[in-house]
Amino acid sequence: MTTATHAKPMADRVRDLVADTIGPLQHELLRDGPKAVATLARLRRGAGKQPHQVPDLLGLIDTEPLYDTTADGRLPGEQPLTRAEDAVHVAMTLWAVHQQSRSTEMHRPHRTDAPGGLGAAVRRLMIERDAGDAVLKRFVRIGTAPDLPTLAQRLREIIVLLREEDIPLDYALLARQLYQWQWPQGPETVRRAWGRSFHAYRAPKGDRSTGTGAPGTDAPSDSDTTSKDDS
C-alpha cells in the first residue's frame, strides 16, 4: 500500500472498499457470471443480520484495506474497525437486496447530474410512485433509527421500493454514511446530509414533477461526513 492509502481516514477506506468490491462484482453479475450470481445470493442472506450471525460471509469481502496503518504508523483501533466492518456489511448486503433480479446497475456512483445518494433516491421514488406521504414517512423513520441494526432494517424497506422502480443508489457513499452514523453526533450529521440532498433534488424535465432544472447534489462535503474519531 502507498503512504497516500495509509493516510486515508477510515470513512474513506470504507467508501473505497465498497466501491472497489461492488464495481467488478456488479459488472460480472450483469453478464450472468455464475460466481457473481452465487456471491450475490450469499450477500443477500446476510441482509438484516449482524456479521457474526452469518458465518457464510466470512472471507467473502476482502476487508484488508481497513487494517492498514495510518500515516503515523498506528494500527486502527478496535472501535473504528468494528464500526467500519459493520458499515461495509450493511451496505454490501443492502446492495445485494437492491440488485436482486435487476438487469441494470443498482449501485451507481454519484454524479452532479445524476445524484446517487439516499435523499435524492427517496425524492425520486416519491415522484415516480406518486405516493409522497407514505414514502416520506418511511424516510423520516430511517432518520430516527436508534441504532445501526434498526437503521439497516428501515433502509431495507426503502430499498425494496427503490428496486421496484429501478432507482439506483451510490452504495459507496451510503457505506461512508453508515460508518459516520455510528459516531457521536454522527446520526445528526448524516440526517442533515440526507435531508439536504432530498430537498436539493430536481426531477429532469419530462418527469412527473413540478420540479425543474438539474438535479441537486447528493454528495455531502467532507465536513458533513468525517469524524475526529474515525481514524
Side-chain angles (χ1 to χ4, degrees), residues 170-181:
D170 183 338
Y171 276 91
L173 172 60
L174 180 63
R176 193 180 196 278
Q177 292 170 333
L178 291 171
Y179 176 76
Q180 171 65 15
W181 178 278

Side-chain angles (χ1 to χ4, degrees), residues 6-226:
H6 290 171
K8 285 183 180 178
M10 185 63 81
D12 290 347
R13 298 187 194 191
V14 168
R15 176 199 62 203
D16 293 349
L17 174 59
V18 169
D20 292 344
T21 303
I22 291 183
L25 180 57
Q26 185 169 250
H27 177 74
E28 288 302 313
L29 185 67
L30 296 181
R31 299 172 61 182
D32 291 324
K35 184 176 180 180
V37 171
T39 298
L40 187 77
R42 290 173 64 186
L43 285 169
R44 194 165 60 248
R45 288 194 291 271
K49 301 175 183 177
Q50 297 183 49
H52 68 272
Q53 296 176 314
V54 197
D56 184 49
L57 297 187
L58 185 64
L60 187 62
I61 302 170
D62 182 6
T63 58
E64 182 180 349
L66 302 180
Y67 291 79
D68 289 339
T69 55
T70 59
D72 59 4
R74 292 183 298 115
L75 291 172
E78 179 67 22
Q79 193 172 53
L81 281 172
T82 298
R83 291 175 173 178
E85 290 167 345
D86 287 349
V88 169
H89 171 82
V90 171
M92 292 294 303
T93 55
L94 287 176
W95 166 74
V97 171
H98 201 164
Q99 190 64 58
Q100 181 185 13
S101 302
R102 298 295 92 184
S103 59
T104 57
E105 297 176 346
M106 292 297 100
H107 162 64
R108 192 172 301 166
H110 166 82
R111 301 197 316 266
T112 301
D113 63 332
L118 182 66
V122 169
R123 185 68 175 270
R124 180 179 167 187
L125 178 66
M126 290 172 59
I127 293 168
E128 297 195 6
R129 284 215 159 198
D130 197 19
D133 288 346
V135 174
L136 185 59
K137 286 179 181 178
R138 290 179 182 270
F139 187 47
V140 171
R141 286 185 72 244
I142 290 172
T144 59
D147 51 44
L148 187 64
T150 305
L151 176 63
Q153 182 56 45
R154 294 179 182 179
L155 282 169
R156 190 181 191 279
E157 294 171 1
I158 280 284
I159 282 164
V160 169
L161 300 179
L162 295 176
R163 183 182 68 197
E164 293 173 359
E165 301 296 335
D166 284 334
I167 299 173
L169 278 179
D170 183 338
Y171 276 91
L173 172 60
L174 180 63
R176 193 180 196 278
Q177 292 170 333
L178 291 171
Y179 176 76
Q180 171 65 15
W181 178 278
Q182 299 172 76
W183 292 97
Q185 287 78 52
E188 180 182 351
T189 300
V190 174
R191 283 196 299 266
R192 186 164 57 243
W194 286 344
R196 187 180 300 122
S197 68
F198 175 88
H199 290 293
Y201 178 79
R202 295 293 183 272
K205 292 181 179 179
D207 281 10
R208 286 182 296 148
S209 170
T210 56
T212 58
T217 182
D218 231 309
S221 65
D222 288 344
S223 61
D224 283 340
T225 56
T226 56

